[in-house]
Amino acid sequence: MTTQTWIITGASRGFGRALAESALAAGDNVVAAVRRPGSVADLEAKHPDSCLVATFDVRDLAAAAGLVRDTLDRFGQLDVLVNNAGRAVVGAAEEVGDAQLRELMELHLFGPAALVRAALPAMRERGTGTIVQMSSQGGRMSFPGVSAYSASKFALEGWSEALAGEVAPFGIRVMLVEPSRFRTGFNGGDVIEFAEPSATYRDLLAGVRADMAGADGRQEGDPARAAGIIVSLAHGDEVPLRLPLGREAVERISRVHRRGLEEVERWAETARSADFEDVPASARPV
């Protein structure tokens, strides 16, 4: 298997840590991009020749070019970029403030976008590369209490879907990973944030808050198995544009597609009636 070089953000724990371990076990090189270098010092000590720890905050857009440059200086190439760093804010849309919403957009969209832009020239030059965007089942569906989180993941999905078509001619692949619940620490008290509950929504969202807070350590998904799947796909000949991970993700996303199609069909005639009657459908490039 050809050795690949990875950049993985948020590699200190969860999916990022599992991906770093899986890629290193496969004989690949890994740049573990983390805010706290000490959190992955053991990986660098165990794999001194193939692991580089880089201090990196995804929200620092200006630092993206330096991270890519350091990767190329150390390993000479960049094959796989994984935008993994992330967290959640739970609360009603009326409870989550501008600052909280903006931070999630910076973390889940603007930061990954900056890193992709920094990585693309090197990938285009070699005519190969894989961009892995860690989204969520919450990037394809939403429900009360997670509007801010889903908004940022929906944005990442739309941006990445367009990106996939733009870079495919250069031999570069894009894969959106959409996990359900995995034991990654995502639901831990130091990762998930709960907006201050208001009297209006306290009872309405009580179950959602309790469910999100109580899931830590009880999630059905195994990060190591998920990481093995992603690493295997990155080394393979084909990757899906979207990869739901976990039974719940497969079932929920499938159900959302079916419900959406049923709604489109139900209102199809009403929707079609909005067009001019004497104008034929235009030819579109996609």
Side-chain angles (χ1 to χ4, degrees):
M1 189 164 57
T2 303
T3 298
Q4 295 189 339
T5 295
W6 298 59
I7 290 177
I8 304 172
T9 67
S12 59
R13 58 181 171 180
F15 279 125
R17 173 79 183 209
L19 280 167
E21 292 175 346
S22 184
L24 288 167
D28 289 343
N29 303 314
V30 169
V31 177
V34 295
R35 288 185 297 160
R36 298 179 299 276
S39 63
V40 286
D42 60 312
L43 285 181
E44 192 171 39
K46 185 177 180 181
H47 305 275
D49 296 327
S50 55
C51 182
L52 171 66
V53 174
T55 304
F56 182 73
D57 188 332
V58 174
R59 296 165 296 184
D60 183 359
L61 307 186
L67 177 61
V68 172
R69 184 171 57 251
D70 291 346
T71 300
L72 297 175
D73 288 346
R74 172 67 180 270
F75 297 115
Q77 64 190 59
L78 172 58
D79 300 281
V80 186
L81 168 62
V82 182
N83 279 307
N84 166 73
R87 69 184 194 91
V89 175
V90 178
E94 197 174 350
E95 295 171 340
V96 177
D98 290 338
Q100 293 167 306
L101 180 58
R102 186 173 290 109
E103 184 189 9
L104 286 189
M105 296 300 290
E106 290 174 350
L107 187 59
H108 296 156
L109 177 63
F110 297 132
L115 198 44
V116 167
R117 289 194 298 267
L120 282 176
M123 290 183 171
R124 274 202 315 273
E125 184 177 349
R126 296 183 62 236
T128 185
T130 303
I131 296 167
V132 179
Q133 308 281 54
M134 295 301 294
S135 181
S136 166
Q137 63 178 351
R140 302 299 298 282
M141 54 169 286
S142 195
F143 54 88
V146 296
S147 58
Y149 178 75
S150 284
S152 64
K153 292 298 188 179
F154 269 60
L156 177 67
E157 295 246 353
W159 189 86
S160 300
E161 184 172 342
L163 172 71
E166 295 164 359
V167 300
F170 304 103
I172 301 169
R173 312 179 299 181
V174 176
M175 178 168 65
L176 283 152
V177 181
E178 301 166 335
S180 50
R181 292 185 169 187
F182 281 73
R183 295 184 193 178
T184 61
F186 179 83
N187 293 86
D190 59 338
V191 177
I192 198 168
E193 178 183 352
F194 293 89
E196 186 65 28
S198 64
T200 303
Y201 298 102
R202 182 178 287 110
D203 292 341
L204 179 66
L205 297 182
V208 173
R209 291 175 183 272
D211 179 60
M212 298 291 280
D216 193 39
R218 299 171 48 240
Q219 302 96 324
E220 63 273 21
D222 181 345
R225 291 187 180 188
I229 291 170
I230 294 168
V231 171
S232 177
L233 285 169
H235 277 279
D237 295 330
E238 182 182 7
V239 300
L241 174 61
R242 288 181 167 89
L243 177 68
L245 274 182
R247 287 189 296 271
E248 182 183 84
V250 171
E251 292 167 4
R252 284 192 167 193
I253 292 173
S254 296
R255 188 161 62 243
V256 165
H257 279 301
R258 286 192 293 268
R259 187 166 65 238
L261 183 58
E262 289 170 359
E263 191 168 39
V264 169
E265 292 172 343
R266 178 185 175 188
W267 294 99
E269 289 307 310
T270 299
R272 291 190 182 104
S273 70
D275 288 350
F276 289 108
E277 294 182 1
D278 58 346
V279 178
S282 60
R284 302 294 299 275
V286 292

